[in-house]
Amino acid sequence: MDIKTITTLVFLMPASAALAVDSPIGGTVAPKCSVWTETTGVYGHPLPYKLSTLPADGGVVASIRVDVAQADYYKTRFTHPASFSSSPTLTDAVAWTGSTVVGVVGVAGMSAYEAAKVTYNNVTEFNMTLAGSTWFSVASTASYGSTKSLPAGNYTAIIKAECIAK
Amino acid sequence: MCISFSSYAHEMTPAYFKLKPSYIKDVSVTSMKLFNRREDVEYYDIEVFTFDWKPIPFASEYKTINIGYHKSKLFDVYIRDSDIKKVVYICTQSKLFKSKDQITLITSRICSKIR
């Protein structure tokens, strides 16, 4: 190979390399929130007057995952039950308790949601300041009357999970 | 007792909507998209609210949307111009069948906010 050919090749190579990399791929991530119902929760019946989703009471705590595509665009709100949506006829009052806590987090910083949560009545609010997935556990307990036995039948209660643009 | 460990999701876009004049006089419109990845849900209610969650009257092709699993649906929401200043949220909320086997059920609501 003579010097002329080598010089020509040296000048041609960068030009062909530049052509090869010039093919951009575009994409957009829009602000979006998805509410995933992972485990719907089940009441255990540890005592004649009590229904509880706590594992210690034989229940299963509801698990809800919230995916946020962009940070600081949404807040989430969980409402644990304060009444049965369907049940046998109850002649006495039912005392309801419940809670919502941050479970598994996709980003370490999301653990701070728990300390920053706002709770009122049977509602718990979280400010979703980071993008990614957060799992929330919602527990519920119903105690009937003054330790009266719950009548036999099917009981259903509803948890509400909301994702609200800020 | 039946326990569900599979994941089902509810999505709605855009996060921030903008009302624009419709073909009807004194009525504005916006388009939303609902995506149902909840196998346990077939119906979603559309709702429009003020900043303090008071309902606002609106019109849409569907007030309750029937949507299959893994399907998406575009829908328009029409709001009177006289109500525009009060509109803050457009939401979709899942509807659950009363006869489901589960003892606790989860209803999901996603709300978009006016831009």
Side-chain angles (χ1 to χ4, degrees), chain A residues 4 9 26 36 46 49 64 69 73-74 76 82 87 89-90 96-97 99 105 109 121 130 133 135-137 143 152 154:
Chain A
K4 271 186 183 174
L9 279 173
W36 295 79
Y49 62 89
I64 300 161
Y73 274 76
Y74 284 95
T76 53
S87 69
T89 305
L90 300 174
W96 290 88
T97 56
S99 64
V105 291
N121 303 327
L130 297 168
S133 302
W135 282 256
F136 297 93
S137 301
S143 299
N154 291 322

Side-chain angles (χ1 to χ4, degrees), chain A residues 4 8 23 36 42-43 52-54 56 72 113 123 126 150-151:
Chain A
K4 271 186 183 174
T8 311
S23 60
W36 295 79
V42 177
Y43 281 117
S52 168
T53 60
L54 295 174
D72 222 14
Y113 291 172
V123 178
F126 299 88
L150 284 157

Side-chain angles (χ1 to χ4, degrees), chain A residues 34 37 40-41 157 159 161-163, chain B residues 7-8 11 104-105 107 109 111:
Chain A
S34 312
T37 58
T40 50
I159 293 165
E162 297 170 88
C163 201
Chain B
S7 294
Y8 305 120
E11 287 178 12
T104 61
L105 298 168
T107 181
R109 178 154 81 176
C111 298

Side-chain angles (χ1 to χ4, degrees), chain A residues 43 51-54 61 78-82 95-101 117 119-124 137-143 159:
Chain A
Y43 281 117
L51 290 172
S52 168
T53 60
L54 295 174
V61 171
F78 298 90
T79 307
H80 57 258
W96 290 88
T97 56
S99 64
T100 304
V101 295
K117 73 183 180 184
T119 307
Y120 52 93
N121 303 327
N122 58 331
V123 178
T124 309
S137 301
V138 184
S140 169
T141 301
S143 299
I159 293 165

Side-chain angles (χ1 to χ4, degrees), chain A residues 30-45 51 53 58 60 62-65 72-75 77 81 85-86 140 155-166, chain B residues 1-16 35 37-38 40 47 53 70 88-89 91 93 96-98 100-114:
Chain A
K32 188 172 69 177
C33 179
S34 312
V35 178
W36 295 79
T37 58
E38 300 240 330
T39 309
T40 50
V42 177
Y43 281 117
H45 189 35
L51 290 172
T53 60
V60 178
S63 175
I64 300 161
R65 188 179 105 209
D72 222 14
Y73 274 76
Y74 284 95
K75 65 179 176 182
R77 193 157 70 181
S85 59
S86 68
S140 169
Y155 292 80
T156 309
I158 291 176
I159 293 165
K160 188 191 267 188
E162 297 170 88
C163 201
I164 301 159
K166 290 197 283 185
Chain B
M1 234 176 236
C2 176
I3 306 169
S4 167
F5 287 106
S6 41
S7 294
Y8 305 120
H10 167 196
E11 287 178 12
M12 186 174 72
T13 52
Y16 299 97
F35 187 35
R37 280 196 280 187
R38 288 192 64 172
D40 57 334
E47 302 161 305
W53 299 99
H70 267 303
V88 176
Y89 300 108
C91 307
Q93 181 170 333
L96 301 166
F97 283 114
K98 202 173 178 180
K100 290 282 182 191
D101 296 333
Q102 294 290 345
I103 297 177
T104 61
L105 298 168
I106 297 169
T107 181
S108 52
R109 178 154 81 176
I110 295 185
C111 298
S112 298
K113 196 174 182 184
I114 196 160

